[in-house]
């Protein structure tokens, strides 16, 4: 179809103009928006030279004119994607370096000559940086038309690469600074390298055919619902089945390869199919976010179910645009892969897309470009380029570390698991009185004013605040149909006073595990699942007491005294008492706090309320260790999404969140490290569980998408270790309940401390014998040896003994096992403050002592390998270290059939792949935490295929055991990074 006779126009200037339009190589979306601008320039009688690597049909399908000239050149590569949804940050930088940096001088020379040869009046850049510099060198004005810039996108990549390609970002910013101004499209990112900005409406390709014509051509009846699967021209890589679609639906598949055999209900589209017509003829779209898909979904009011790409900073801004206009529904990648599409499509079909802005951005941009070419626009004297780039780098860095950025991990708030957040906000969006869906954010923002703190875009925190908002709304209403915990919570907050909210995540033990109590280096990743605690303090006269608490105080014949009241949401599902209350005076004995031993007895009286020790114990520890006195009553609401008994530190997350809330409400300034140590006291001394400190440290000090590196002597944080872009960790629950309070964990810990005492005793004997020889002092070698043995005779932590010294001097000293009575007679005590030796029990010593010595070495090697150059050998070595750790656990007696089965499934998957033509996607697996069940940590490539293999392992495990494993995916900030929120109801609830 020729376009010269169209009625649209951009008023032609007195002279014919020549535009050189550079198009980035990143996806078809850029080419599709460029074609609409170019079309209007050609309609006005100008020549447009497109410099692009996209296929010709992307342009010629829409523009058939001799004034369109296409020159096949690639001057930037965009972001390199391992698959349709996975961006490889380091590969992107290296590819850009290869494409645009190494040949830069020759590129500039060639482009300057070419621009002069075509006598270009204006250079237009669709985000291609070097085009701006080439224009400046050629003495031609340049304008950019885009919604993002590569300096902003690459800023985070550079940080992930260890600043290896830092110069790339600065060079890109300097190139952009030569642009006269920016024509900015909706859904834009921060772009500080540009001097002046002109905003335009959406650039959207026009329709060629009606909905009815398209459906008739496809043979689809009017009453059939139609989904379009659109990944921006790329093959989706999905294994499609008929079950993916809801009943009565058909699906158009864009970008399918010729080899793909599609199941019934799926229709393969030609590669050069004109997608705007198909989008407008569809009822819903499913795919990844890009400017082209987002703009056309908005323009044609088509609900869009989207899946995020990781590490592409453009997405949050386009996502906001879609969600703001009720056009977007986010799907987690796991449900995309498994074909669990129906809930998302149903949700999308309930939306009412309401974009009412302009869609003629192509025409408006063309008019601006024409005016710029004849000298109408002049730049201001604003700072530009690298001088303002730092803001973009900082924002890009922070944006990528906002929780929920990982596409696999962010469970949309309307699709949250029913067991999370009070069990009330389960899968269905709430409907307003008019039948429309309520805005998720409006629930808590209408009810609460946030006086302090930042939600950090955490969906689980928003959900928790929404639950608080529901409590506030239901105050003094009939809540008889709600669970007991819910009714209790509505009654004990004073909704006119401030409420403090803290959050602490669980953790995935990547390396270190049970070696923490022996002083090892450990690597821990805070997981997505977290515990929230809402706390309010009130003067006893104003405190709302439950009736039985009122009766208790009346029986004592005294006035109001400080009371602690706790509600644990989800408690009834776990067969626990959902509420707990006590007079705070119960924690006092005269003018001093009660002993920890008495506290253990206090909380052990009622097994259904023993859980309260993890929460209330934080108050006793603060009283005992810091001398804090509590004069006010305290109400605490605890809501944890960290599954219990799976070895991911559900107890630590409760302790850290509880103590953080108490500290915030009472103005206590406690560092995250000190808070973690105090929380360990809660678990060791009040609860009575002999855990190390790594769980609490990870929950308090961790950071999203990083490994917390800590030497447990007792808790020295070495720093945060970046997880390389090509590496990913998962946790797969075995379904076998884990407990650090169990006999296995405790006996292994006793065995390790026994081994330490035996090594110290052996070293002391050796040192005594050597010192009895008179000439020892005359030999410097012997003197050095005596100094080494002297250090080992005073060994404080087993992990300070190196593997080679253990093998050389002590491996044969330690017995396989020893009974408690024999050990106590020979050594007196094992000097572990949190375990007791049973004289009648036998303890494995050699394996228990050997494990932390070698584990410390493995963790150090693992940490060093993480920072090495990406390669298959690197992943293989990391996986081997993880496997070694797993088998060392088994040698200690802390394995289980379930965890062994998962590790074997990973091995089968790894070797079945590596024996074929493809490299492995999964490389290693190990039991975690205290062992004896719980969760297995898996390491693999960060790719769609690895996600598919993890899901296959889940299915195989279920087939073998009947249990579908819980899958831990993703990360979130620790309590220290989160801080706390202080909220207050916006209006009186009376």
């Amino acid at each position: 179809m020729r376009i010269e006779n169209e009625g649209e126009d951009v008023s032609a200037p007195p002279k014919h103009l020549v535009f050189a339009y550079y198009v980035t190589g990143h996806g078809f979306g850029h080419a599709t928006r460029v074609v609409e601008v170019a079309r209007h320039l050609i309609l006005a009688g100008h020549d447009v030279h497109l410099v692009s690597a996209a296929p010709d049909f992307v342009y010629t399908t829409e523009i058939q004119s001799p004034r369109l000239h296409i020159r096949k050149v690639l001057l930037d590569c965009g972001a390199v994607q391992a698959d349709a949804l996975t961006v490889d940050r380091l590969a992107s930088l290296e590819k850009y370096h290869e494409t645009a940096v190494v040949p830069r001088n020759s590129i500039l020379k060639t482009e300057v000559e070419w621009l002069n040869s075509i006598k270009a009046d204006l250079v237009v850049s669709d985000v291609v940086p070097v085009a701006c510099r080439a224009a400046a060198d050629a003495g031609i004005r340049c304008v950019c038309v885009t919604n993002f810039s590569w300096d902003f996108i690459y800023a985070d990549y550079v940080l992930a690469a260890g600043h290896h390609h830092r110069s790339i970002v600065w060079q890109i910013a300097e190139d952009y600074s030569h642009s006269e101004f920016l024509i900015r499209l909706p859904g834009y990112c921060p772009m500080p390298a540009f001097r002046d900005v002109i905003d335009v409406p959406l650039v959207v390709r026009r329709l060629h055919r009606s909905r009815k014509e398209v459906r008739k051509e496809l043979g689809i009846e009017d009453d059939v619902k139609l989904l379009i699967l659109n990944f921006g021209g790329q093959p989706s890589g999905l294994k499609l089945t008929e079950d993916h679609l809801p009943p009565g639906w058909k699906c158009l598949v864009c970008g399918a390869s010729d080899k793909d055999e599609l199941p019934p209900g799926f229709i393969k589209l030609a590669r050069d199919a004109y997608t705007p017509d198909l989008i407008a003829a569809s009822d819903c779209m499913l795919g990844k976010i890009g400017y082209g898909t987002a703009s056309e979904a908005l323009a044609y009011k088509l609900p869009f179910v989207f899946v995020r790409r990781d590490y592409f900073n453009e997405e949050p801004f386009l996502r906001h645009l879609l969600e703001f206009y009720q056009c977007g529904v986010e799907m987690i990648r796991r449900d995309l892969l498994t074909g669990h599409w129906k809930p998302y499509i149903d949700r999308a079909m309930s939306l009412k897309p309401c974009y009412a802005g302009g869609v003629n951005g192509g025409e408006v941009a063309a008019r601006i470009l024409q005016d710029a070419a004849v000298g109408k626009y002049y730049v201001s004297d604003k700072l530009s380029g690298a001088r303002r780039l730092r803001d973009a780098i900082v924002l890009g860095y922070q944006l990528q570390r906002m929780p929920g950025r990982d596409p696999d991990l962010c469970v949309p708030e309307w699709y949250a698991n029913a067991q999370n957040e009070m069990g009330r906000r389960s899968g269905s969006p709430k409907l307003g009185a008019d039948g429309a869906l309520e805005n998720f954010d409006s629930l808590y923002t209408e009810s609460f004013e946030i006086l302090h703190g930042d939600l950090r875009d955490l969906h689980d925190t928003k959900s928790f605040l929404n639950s608080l908002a529901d409590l506030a709304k239901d105050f003094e209403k009939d809540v008889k149909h709600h669970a007991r915990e819910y009714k209790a919570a509505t009654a004990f907050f004073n909704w006119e006073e401030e409420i403090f909210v803290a959050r602490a995540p669980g953790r995935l033990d990547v390396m270190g595990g049970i070696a923490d109590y022996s002083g090892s280096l450990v690597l821990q990743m805070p997981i997505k699942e977290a515990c929230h605690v809402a706390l309010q303090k009130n003067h006893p006269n104003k405190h709302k007491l439950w009736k039985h608490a009122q009766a208790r105080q009346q029986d004592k014949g005294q006035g109001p005294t400080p009371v602690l009241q706790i509600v644990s949401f989800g408690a009834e599902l776990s067969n626990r008492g959902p509420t707990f209350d006590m007079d705070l005076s119960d924690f006092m004995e005269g003018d001093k706090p009660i002993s920890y031993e008495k506290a253990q007895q206090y909380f052990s009286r009622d097994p259904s309320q023993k859980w309260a020790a993890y929460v209330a114990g934080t108050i006793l520890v603060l009283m005992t260790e810091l001398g804090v006195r509590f004069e006010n009553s305290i109400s605490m609401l605890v809501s944890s999404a960290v599954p219990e008994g799976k070895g991911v530190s559900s107890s630590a997350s409760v302790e850290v969140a509880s103590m953080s809330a108490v500290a915030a409400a009472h103005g206590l300034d406690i560092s995250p490290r000190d808070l973690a140590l105090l929380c360990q006291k809660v678990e060791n001394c009040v609860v009575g569980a002999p855990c190390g400190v790594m769980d609490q440290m990870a929950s308090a000090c961790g950071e999203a998408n990083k490994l917390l590196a800590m030497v447990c002597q007792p808790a020295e944080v070495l720093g945060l270790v970046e997880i390389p872009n090509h590496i990913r960790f998962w946790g797969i629950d075995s379904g076998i309940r884990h407990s650090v309070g169990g006999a296995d964990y405790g006996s292994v810990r006793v065995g390790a401390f026994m081994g330490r005492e035996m090594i110290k005793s052996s070293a002391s004997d050796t040192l005594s014998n050597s010192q009895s020889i008179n000439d020892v002092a005359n030999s410097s070698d012997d003197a050095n040896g005596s100094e080494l043995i002297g250090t080992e005779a005073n060994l404080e932590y087993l992990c300070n003994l190196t593997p080679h010294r253990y093998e050389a001097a002590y491996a044969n000293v330690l017995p396989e096992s020893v009974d408690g009575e024999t050990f106590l007679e020979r050594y007196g005590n094992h000097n572990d403050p949190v375990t007791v030796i049973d004289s009648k029990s036998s303890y494995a010593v050699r394996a228990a002592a050997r494990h932390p010595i070698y584990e410390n070495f493995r963790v150090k090697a693992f940490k060093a390998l993480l920072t090495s150059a990406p390669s298959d050998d690197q992943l293989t070595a990391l996986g081997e270290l993880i496997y070694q750790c797993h088998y060392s656990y088994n040698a200690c007696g802390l394995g289980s059939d379930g965890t062994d089965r998962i590790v074997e499934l990973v091995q089968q998957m790894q070797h079945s792949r590596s024996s074929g033509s493809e490299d492995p996607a999964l490389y290693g697996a190990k039991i975690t935490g205290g062992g004896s069940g719980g969760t297995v940590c898996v390491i693999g490539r960060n790719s769609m295929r690895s996600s598919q293999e993890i899901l296959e392992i889940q299915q195989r495990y279920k087939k073998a055991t009947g249990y579908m494993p819980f899958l831990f995916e993703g990360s979130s900030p620790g309590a220290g990074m989160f801080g706390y929120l202080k909220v207050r109801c916006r209006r009186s609830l009376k």
Side-chain angles (χ1 to χ4, degrees):
M1 172 175 53
R2 303 185 66 81
I3 65 170
E4 279 84 349
N5 297 326
E6 295 291 328
E8 306 151 319
D9 67 8
V10 173
S11 300
K15 70 170 199 170
H16 163 265
L17 299 171
V18 176
F19 293 87
Y21 207 143
Y22 288 81
V23 188
T24 184
H26 183 73
F28 285 0
H30 296 267
T32 57
R33 72 187 183 199
V34 165
V35 74
E36 187 63 14
V37 179
R39 186 174 71 86
H40 283 284
L41 290 172
I42 290 172
L43 280 170
H46 308 305
D47 276 40
V48 177
H49 294 256
L50 294 180
V51 183
S52 172
D56 287 1
F57 74 79
V58 177
Y59 304 107
T60 57
T61 300
E62 178 68 359
I63 305 174
Q64 299 173 15
S65 167
R67 295 189 182 279
L68 174 67
H69 313 273
I70 301 175
R71 176 171 166 246
K72 290 287 190 180
V73 178
L74 178 65
L75 296 179
D76 74 47
C77 61
V80 176
Q81 295 189 199
D83 51 49
L85 296 175
T86 307
V87 175
D88 189 324
R89 291 177 291 178
L90 184 58
S92 299
L93 292 173
E94 291 175 346
K95 184 67 173 177
Y96 187 87
H97 184 264
E98 174 188 332
T99 304
V101 176
V102 173
R104 180 177 174 82
N105 291 336
S106 62
I107 288 173
L108 288 172
K109 180 180 178 182
T110 300
E111 296 310 304
V112 169
E113 291 175 355
W114 177 74
L115 289 170
N116 288 327
S117 71
I118 66 170
K119 297 182 172 53
D121 294 291
L122 185 73
V123 172
V124 186
S125 172
D126 177 80
V127 86
V128 179
V130 74
C132 305
R133 178 57 185 267
D137 289 354
I140 304 170
R141 301 179 76 192
C142 176
V143 175
C144 283
V145 184
T146 182
N147 67 305
F148 74 86
S149 56
W150 286 119
D151 50 349
F152 178 64
I153 302 298
Y154 285 163
D156 177 71
Y157 298 6
V158 168
L159 291 167
H163 302 282
H164 178 58
H165 292 292
R166 179 185 295 182
S167 60
I168 286 178
V169 180
W170 299 105
Q171 184 64 71
I172 289 172
E174 197 275 332
D175 284 348
Y176 285 144
S177 71
H178 293 289
S179 175
E180 294 287 314
F181 58 88
L182 166 68
I183 296 177
R184 189 168 62 182
L185 307 176
Y188 57 82
C189 305
M191 293 179 279
F194 294 97
R195 290 178 274 184
D196 279 314
V197 173
I198 300 176
D199 286 307
V200 298
L202 282 175
V203 176
V204 181
R205 289 180 292 175
R206 61 180 180 160
L207 298 180
H208 291 172
R209 293 169 296 170
S210 69
R211 173 187 173 94
K212 187 173 183 179
E213 289 171 336
V214 172
R215 282 179 166 251
K216 182 178 180 181
E217 181 179 321
L218 293 170
I220 297 174
E221 297 81 3
D222 290 342
D223 59 345
V224 172
K225 294 294 184 182
L226 191 59
L227 176 74
I228 181 167
L229 188 66
N230 186 359
F231 282 82
Q234 290 182 294
S236 67
L238 299 174
K239 296 178 181 178
L240 300 171
T241 69
E242 193 173 359
D243 294 339
H244 285 36
L245 297 176
W249 281 73
K250 291 185 181 296
C251 179
L252 306 177
V253 182
C254 302
S257 69
D258 295 336
K259 298 179 181 178
D260 288 343
E261 293 293 332
L262 300 184
F266 290 84
I267 302 170
K268 186 186 300 183
L269 297 173
R271 188 155 181 81
D272 60 352
Y274 190 65
T275 52
D277 289 349
L278 297 163
I279 287 173
S282 299
D283 298 288
C284 185
M285 179 159 56
L286 192 158
K288 67 180 180 182
I289 297 182
Y291 183 85
T293 51
S295 63
E296 287 165 1
L298 289 166
Y300 303 126
K301 294 183 171 55
L302 184 74
F304 185 6
V305 178
F306 59 84
V307 184
R308 301 191 201 191
R309 286 169 292 178
D310 45 351
Y311 303 115
F312 203 78
N313 283 342
E314 174 194 24
E315 283 196 358
F317 302 92
L318 292 175
R319 187 174 74 247
H320 175 75
L321 192 68
L322 288 167
E323 292 174 345
F324 183 82
Y325 290 109
Q326 288 289 295
C327 195
V329 173
E330 182 179 342
M331 175 188 282
I332 59 175
R333 187 184 296 187
R334 182 172 65 251
D335 287 339
L336 172 74
L337 296 175
T338 57
H340 195 58
W341 295 2
K342 185 178 183 300
Y344 300 94
I345 295 173
D346 290 346
R347 157 74 170 169
M349 294 303 293
S350 71
L351 298 179
K352 298 178 180 178
C354 58
Y355 181 76
V359 294
N360 63 334
E363 179 183 357
V364 174
R367 185 180 300 116
I368 295 170
L369 292 173
Q370 177 182 272
D371 291 343
V374 296
K376 179 175 180 180
Y377 290 98
Y378 295 92
V379 300
S380 67
D381 195 25
K382 295 179 182 177
L383 297 176
S384 64
R387 294 184 65 179
R388 291 188 288 133
L389 179 62
R390 187 176 67 177
D391 292 340
I393 291 178
V394 171
L395 183 56
Y397 178 81
Q398 293 174 340
L399 181 66
Q400 283 299 342
R401 280 147 190 82
M402 287 170 64
R405 283 291 299 141
D406 191 307
D408 278 15
L409 310 178
C410 180
V411 178
E413 57 277 354
W414 57 270
Y415 191 56
N417 192 301
Q419 70 179 348
N420 295 346
E421 299 304 334
M422 307 184 180
R424 301 189 68 254
R425 199 167 301 285
S426 54
S428 304
K430 292 189 68 174
L431 297 177
D434 59 354
L437 288 160
E438 287 187 3
N439 182 281
F440 180 71
D441 288 347
S442 69
L443 295 176
Y444 68 82
T445 55
E446 286 176 1
S447 297
F448 293 114
E449 178 184 8
I450 298 178
L451 305 175
H452 173 87
D454 182 3
L455 273 68
R456 295 180 174 269
D457 201 34
L458 288 162
H459 289 298
D460 61 344
T461 301
K462 293 179 181 179
S463 181
F464 180 72
L465 290 180
N466 284 338
S467 299
L468 282 181
D470 286 343
L471 290 174
K473 289 178 180 179
D474 286 343
F475 176 58
E476 293 185 346
K477 291 182 180 179
D478 181 9
V479 293
K480 62 184 178 182
H481 298 299
H482 288 308
R484 181 158 54 101
E485 57 200 37
Y486 186 82
K487 290 188 285 186
T490 58
F492 81 152
F493 278 136
N494 184 338
W495 295 108
E496 297 178 356
E497 301 295 331
E498 297 170 351
I499 297 174
F500 294 81
V501 176
R503 177 190 186 278
R507 65 94 186 95
L508 180 64
D509 168 33
V510 174
M511 288 291 283
I514 58 168
D516 62 341
Y517 53 69
S518 295
S520 178
L521 172 69
V522 298
L523 296 174
Q524 306 295 305
M525 184 181 79
I527 59 176
K528 177 192 67 176
E529 291 77 13
C531 174
H532 287 83
V533 172
L535 182 147
Q536 186 179 73
K537 63 175 185 176
N538 281 296
H539 189 276
N541 288 326
K542 294 183 178 180
H543 193 76
K544 296 180 179 179
L545 291 177
W546 295 319
K547 290 183 179 179
H548 66 273
Q550 290 176 347
R552 184 179 63 238
Q553 290 209 350
Q554 290 171 359
D555 289 343
K556 290 182 179 180
Q558 59 189 34
T561 59
V563 173
L564 171 65
Q565 295 184 145
I566 307 171
V567 173
S568 173
F569 274 103
E572 291 183 332
L573 297 175
S574 303
N575 199 28
R576 299 194 308 262
T579 64
F580 173 85
D581 65 278
M582 63 178 290
D583 294 338
L584 285 175
S585 59
D586 291 349
F587 274 155
M588 299 297 293
E589 199 168 52
D591 59 350
K592 293 182 179 180
I594 63 173
S595 69
Y596 290 139
E597 291 76 16
K598 288 186 176 180
Q600 283 191 39
Q601 296 170 8
Y602 183 93
F603 289 108
S604 298
R605 292 179 303 182
D606 183 354
S608 72
Q609 292 194 326
K610 191 174 179 181
W611 60 266
Y614 295 96
V615 183
T618 62
I619 292 175
L620 178 62
V621 167
L622 289 171
M623 294 169 69
T624 304
E625 306 299 328
L626 300 186
V628 181
R629 294 295 179 262
F630 296 91
E631 306 296 334
N632 291 310
S633 291
I634 298 172
S635 298
M636 299 178 74
L637 172 64
V638 181
S639 177
S640 181
V642 184
E644 297 177 29
K646 300 188 185 302
V648 290
S649 298
S650 58
S651 60
S653 66
V654 171
E655 292 156 355
V656 172
S658 298
M659 188 171 286
S660 297
V662 173
H666 293 85
L668 305 177
D669 186 13
I670 306 173
S671 71
R673 176 186 181 275
D674 291 340
L675 187 136
L677 291 170
L678 291 169
C679 288
Q680 185 196 17
K681 283 273 188 185
V682 175
E683 186 134 1
N684 289 168
C685 303
V686 181
V687 176
C691 73
V693 73
M694 72 177 190
D695 300 351
Q696 290 82 4
M697 289 294 289
S699 185
C701 305
E703 190 171 324
N705 302 312
K706 296 181 181 180
L707 301 180
L708 180 74
M710 180 184 71
V711 175
C712 302
Q713 300 189 15
E716 179 186 356
V717 175
L718 299 185
L720 295 160
V721 181
E722 289 277 356
I723 300 174
N725 179 52
H726 65 289
I727 292 175
R728 186 163 188 176
F729 298 100
W730 295 263
I732 304 178
D733 170 40
S734 67
I736 299 173
R737 189 173 179 86
H738 150 87
S739 173
V740 297
D744 289 336
Y745 176 91
S747 64
V748 172
R749 176 166 177 152
V750 169
F753 278 84
M754 283 180 165
R756 186 193 66 173
E757 292 305 305
M758 291 178 175
I759 288 171
K760 290 171 64 178
S761 177
S762 176
S764 296
D765 291 344
T766 302
L767 189 63
S768 297
N769 292 336
S770 66
Q771 289 175 342
S772 67
I773 303 174
N774 294 330
D775 61 347
V776 166
N778 298 326
S779 169
S780 60
D781 291 340
D782 288 343
N784 291 335
S786 295
E787 183 178 346
L788 175 61
I789 295 171
T791 300
E792 292 165 352
N794 294 286
L795 188 66
E796 186 175 4
Y797 294 98
L798 264 178
C799 289
N800 291 339
L801 185 65
T802 60
H804 78 270
R805 280 297 299 161
Y806 168 78
E807 294 293 346
Y810 304 108
N812 295 327
V813 170
L814 299 182
E816 288 287 343
S817 63
V818 66
D819 63 88
E821 184 176 3
T822 301
F823 178 87
L824 291 171
E825 288 176 356
R826 172 69 174 85
Y827 300 97
N829 198 352
H830 67 324
N831 293 311
D832 179 14
V834 297
T835 58
V836 176
I837 296 174
D838 182 356
S839 62
K840 297 181 180 180
S841 296
S842 179
Y843 297 91
V845 174
R846 185 179 298 170
R850 187 180 189 274
H851 174 80
I853 293 170
Y854 277 84
E855 181 71 357
N856 188 45
F857 172 80
R858 285 190 289 264
V859 182
K860 288 180 178 179
F862 193 95
K863 180 174 178 285
L865 277 169
L866 281 175
T867 59
S868 66
S871 69
D872 189 63
D873 287 341
Q874 178 206 32
L875 283 163
T876 300
L878 289 168
E880 181 61 25
L881 290 170
I882 281 184
Y883 282 135
Q884 288 180 17
C885 174
H886 177 76
Y887 291 114
S888 187
Y889 261 79
N890 283 350
C892 292
L894 292 176
S896 73
D897 291 340
T899 51
D900 285 348
R901 185 184 294 273
I902 292 172
V903 172
E904 289 167 7
L905 287 171
V906 171
Q907 290 174 334
Q908 291 170 14
M909 195 71 69
Q910 175 185 358
H911 296 301
S912 66
R913 298 291 184 181
S914 62
S915 62
S917 59
E918 292 182 303
D919 289 331
L922 304 179
Y923 285 83
K926 63 177 277 284
I927 195 170
T928 62
S932 298
T935 293
V936 170
C937 173
V938 182
I939 185 173
R941 290 186 186 276
N942 184 11
S943 67
M944 185 181 292
R945 185 157 63 85
S946 61
S947 295
Q948 291 172 327
E949 292 185 7
I950 289 289
L951 294 172
E952 187 173 343
I953 288 170
Q954 275 187 299
Q955 294 298 327
R956 289 188 185 183
Y957 190 83
K958 180 183 179 183
K959 184 176 181 180
T961 66
Y963 174 79
M964 174 60 83
F966 189 100
L967 188 62
F968 295 97
E969 301 175 277
S971 186
S972 66
M977 289 293 295
F978 179 83
Y980 68 90
L981 303 176
K982 182 166 67 173
V983 302
R984 187 200 297 270
C985 277
R986 291 185 178 277
R987 59 188 183 277
S988 173
L989 297 172
K990 290 183 177 179

